[in-house]
Amino acid sequence: MKEFRVRFAPSPTGPIHIGNIRTALFNYLFSRSEGATFVLRIEDTDLERSSKEFEELIFKELKWLGIEWDEGPDKPGPYGPYRQSERLEIYHRFAQKLIEEKKAYRCYCTPEELEEDRKKAIERGEIPRYSGRCRYLTKEQEETFIREGRKPVIRFMVPDDEVIEFEDMIKGKITIKSDTLGGDMVIIKSDGMPTYNFAVVIDDALMKITHVIRGEDHIYNTPKQILIYKALGFEIPKFAHAPLILGPDRTKLSKRHGHTYIGQYRELGYLPEAMFNFLSLLSWYPKDNVELMSKEEIIRKFNFKRIHKSNPVFDIEKLNWMNQQYIQKSPVERIVDLAIPHLKKAGYIDEIDELRYNWLKDVISLYKDGLSYVAQIVDMAKTFFVEEVDYTGEMIEFLKSPNSIKVLEAFKGYLKDKSEITEDDVREWMKKAQKELGVKGKEFFMPIRIAVTGEKHGPELVKVLALLGKNRVVKRLDRVLNLIE
């Protein structure tokens, strides 16, 4: 039985887009569910925009999400090297082979000549395509162009009137005419770098890739690549083009819809297992319709045939709900460790000793189950880290009522002789004070909560008071009583 091999081939020219990560995930799930080899290849032939920093970021994001590869730049295999910039001699060798077989040629057209041809085609009402003016140059014509200092590209001869068909694993049969492909295509640029459509064919063929799984924005690259496969006598792999992810307005996911890079979600404190779960359900669904699944469950249930043709919507509310479920199941220590960088960035904490860590753990425990992502802790737990809290005009008016003043003064009097606040003591006092003051329920608890936290709602009040500590609570009571006087 033939070994299945898939690959993810990102360009290190920027942060990884959500769509690209979903492509990596589908390749990974296919490899693990089918027992295939998963190859990571770096397409870094865009020398101006590619960087080592972005390559490292690719590794970081994939590892964070839990996507492991079997072969790649850091995991040598039998078909390396796994960076395109280290494979240039290979591309030139195959380009020369095509030239010798009269399937490709050097083209010396200037950008101005190509633009003139494009305009004329539009004026005639035709789809712009390369005219083929350099297809059959004589030796003398080539020598003239060389003397003029023209640097040639190498073009692949696209046959006329040919129908290219392939069976897409998701879309079904796709048929495209060669006349719509823009004419003879450039395979080696004037700077000696291969174009995407040429390099990807050479790499996939030599790396024995059996299934090419990518986004549907590559559909019109596929017939061009099939022509090159045939011209070089390579075996054509199976293709699968996953539907593009849309924003809530059903247009292609972009920055106007919010965060579009996977790293932005990592930095906000989304959990990798939640993101893995969420992304796997963009176009795919298991038979049992269960939504919350571990990585192992997803791999076990994954079947490529269950990927839908329709475009999935990136629903941030669903992601937030899903991430909240995973946060709730996580140990509080994990959430504390993820929260610390956000609290430091906000200037709320600096160095942490064991005592401070344990206090922080208690604070975050109050909010943990309500977090959609960890960065929210900065706003949700703000009252524990600022010296003074703010009050709205509506709050001040509420606190000016006779009952509110009575409760606040009684609470301040109770604290006067206390060395510290404990939950049990405060709880006991509150029971007695409601009877003695004749103020109960919301009229009793709300003034204390607003005065001490600047908020109308929040975690259990006695826990909040105990964690804030006596000194801070008394200061806030003094301040608010002065304000309402």
Side-chain angles (χ1 to χ4, degrees):
M1 184 178 172
K2 185 176 181 181
E3 179 201 3
F4 286 171
R5 291 173 61 84
V6 294
R7 49 69 168 178
F8 176 54
S11 297
T13 54
I16 305 187
H17 190 273
I18 287 290
N20 286 346
I21 275 288
R22 199 275 308 264
T23 296
L25 181 59
F26 276 179
N27 276 280
Y28 175 74
L29 290 174
F30 178 89
S31 74
R32 295 308 180 249
S33 63
E34 296 288 342
T37 299
F38 181 42
V39 177
L40 175 62
R41 185 173 73 230
I42 301 298
E43 299 192 343
D44 59 348
T45 53
D46 185 341
L47 297 180
E48 286 187 7
R49 297 169 61 221
S50 294
S51 76
K52 195 72 178 172
E53 178 188 350
F54 286 131
E55 181 181 304
E56 291 299 325
L57 188 59
I58 289 168
F59 296 159
K60 179 178 181 177
E61 306 296 21
L62 291 174
K63 288 174 182 175
W64 174 75
L65 198 60
I67 295 177
E68 308 99 9
W69 51 97
D70 304 304
E71 297 173 21
D74 60 336
K75 292 184 179 180
Y79 306 110
Y82 295 91
R83 291 185 187 89
Q84 285 189 337
S85 59
E86 297 170 8
R87 299 172 62 83
L88 298 183
E89 182 275 328
I90 298 171
Y91 308 131
H92 282 270
R93 177 158 41 91
F94 281 99
Q96 185 60 36
K97 181 177 187 292
L98 290 173
I99 290 174
E100 290 169 1
E101 294 174 359
K102 307 297 184 187
K103 295 174 183 175
Y105 57 92
R106 291 182 177 83
C107 168
Y108 295 86
C109 293
T110 64
E112 293 75 20
E113 289 169 340
L114 295 173
E115 178 60 20
E116 185 184 342
D117 287 348
R118 192 186 71 83
K119 286 179 180 177
K120 285 180 180 178
I122 293 172
E123 287 170 7
R124 292 193 300 269
E126 299 172 357
I127 298 172
R129 63 198 302 269
Y130 178 63
S131 65
R133 67 164 77 190
C134 287
R135 249 196 194 199
Y136 304 109
L137 293 177
T138 63
K139 190 176 180 182
E140 290 75 18
Q141 287 173 312
E142 278 207 64
E143 287 173 354
T144 300
F145 287 142
I146 291 168
R147 281 197 299 273
E148 290 175 4
R150 296 194 187 194
K151 291 186 176 179
V153 299
I154 298 177
R155 287 186 183 271
F156 174 80
M157 290 185 184
V158 174
D160 297 325
D161 301 319
E162 184 167 320
V163 175
I164 302 126
E165 281 187 352
F166 63 96
E167 190 71 28
D168 190 278
M169 293 168 63
I170 298 172
K171 305 288 184 184
K173 183 176 280 191
I174 293 177
T175 303
I176 297 174
K177 293 182 178 178
S178 63
D179 292 350
T180 65
L181 300 180
D184 296 347
M185 60 177 138
V186 176
I187 56 173
I188 300 289
K189 294 179 282 189
S190 59
D191 62 0
M193 284 296 176
T195 57
Y196 165 76
N197 281 317
F198 187 58
V200 78
V201 169
I202 305 299
D203 292 341
D204 284 345
L206 298 186
M207 292 181 185
K208 309 291 184 187
I209 301 302
T210 58
H211 296 74
V212 173
I213 302 167
R214 56 194 179 190
E216 67 180 18
D217 49 337
H218 282 286
I219 281 180
Y220 283 94
N221 285 323
T222 303
K224 297 177 183 179
Q225 292 168 17
I226 287 173
L227 291 175
I228 296 172
Y229 274 107
K230 288 180 177 177
L232 289 170
F234 290 145
E235 185 177 349
I236 300 171
K238 291 183 178 180
F239 293 97
H241 293 90
L244 298 182
I245 301 170
L246 305 180
D249 59 358
R250 303 202 69 80
T251 60
K252 188 177 177 182
L253 188 66
S254 64
K255 289 179 182 177
R256 72 177 180 278
H257 297 120
H259 298 308
T260 55
Y261 300 120
I262 191 69
Q264 291 170 310
Y265 292 93
R266 172 178 49 76
E267 289 168 0
L268 282 170
Y270 285 82
L271 303 188
E273 60 269 36
M275 185 60 78
F276 189 103
N277 192 163
F278 175 76
L279 289 176
S280 71
L281 296 176
L282 292 181
S283 293
W284 172 79
Y285 231 83
K287 275 185 181 179
D288 57 15
N289 288 332
V290 172
E291 289 193 313
L292 292 173
M293 296 171 284
S294 67
K295 175 181 172 180
E296 292 71 28
E297 286 176 294
I298 293 168
I299 291 171
R300 190 173 69 249
K301 294 178 181 180
F302 187 78
N303 186 327
F304 208 84
K305 292 176 182 176
R306 290 189 62 80
I307 293 179
H308 309 303
K309 294 180 184 178
S310 57
N311 297 91
V313 172
F314 191 93
D315 184 347
I316 188 64
E317 290 183 9
K318 184 170 182 179
L319 171 60
N320 286 343
W321 167 81
M322 192 170 278
N323 198 54
Q324 188 176 52
Q325 306 306 304
Y326 280 93
I327 287 175
Q328 289 174 4
K329 293 174 187 174
S330 296
V332 67
E333 290 83 2
R334 181 187 185 194
I335 306 307
V336 172
D337 292 343
L338 289 171
I340 285 171
H342 295 286
L343 295 170
K344 282 185 174 179
K345 186 178 179 183
Y348 288 165
I349 58 174
D350 39 43
E351 294 308 309
I352 299 173
D353 58 18
E354 186 179 353
L355 189 65
R356 183 71 165 164
Y357 184 89
N358 288 331
W359 175 83
L360 199 56
K361 192 164 74 171
D362 290 338
V363 169
I364 289 173
S365 293
L366 297 178
Y367 299 95
K368 174 176 165 286
D369 288 355
L371 292 170
S372 294
Y373 51 91
V374 178
Q376 288 177 325
I377 197 67
V378 171
D379 289 329
M380 291 176 79
K382 181 180 178 182
T383 191
F384 288 95
F385 301 99
V386 295
E387 283 304 308
E388 294 184 352
V389 294
D390 299 320
Y391 310 101
T392 64
E394 181 190 357
M395 287 176 179
I396 293 295
E397 288 305 309
F398 177 77
L399 294 175
K400 282 181 178 178
S401 71
N403 277 346
S404 294
I405 294 172
K406 192 194 309 185
V407 169
L408 294 178
E409 287 181 338
F411 187 45
K412 181 182 172 185
Y414 158 74
L415 291 173
K416 185 173 68 171
D417 299 326
K418 296 286 180 184
S419 59
E420 198 43 87
I421 298 175
T422 68
E423 289 182 34
D424 290 340
D425 280 354
V426 174
R427 196 176 280 114
E428 189 64 32
W429 173 81
M430 285 178 168
K431 282 181 185 176
K432 291 178 184 176
Q434 288 182 75
K435 289 180 182 177
E436 291 171 3
L437 299 173
V439 182
K440 294 184 179 181
K442 175 183 172 183
E443 293 292 312
F444 180 87
F445 294 107
M446 188 74 84
I448 298 175
R449 184 181 293 281
I450 289 175
V452 174
T453 69
E455 297 165 354
K456 289 183 178 180
H457 310 283
E460 188 180 353
L461 184 56
V462 292
K463 292 182 182 294
V464 171
L465 295 170
L467 286 168
L468 279 169
K470 177 191 168 181
N471 290 341
R472 197 150 26 166
V473 170
V474 170
K475 273 185 184 177
R476 292 180 184 181
L477 288 172
D478 284 340
R479 177 170 175 256
V480 85
L481 286 167
N482 287 333
L483 280 173
I484 59 180
E485 283 175 7

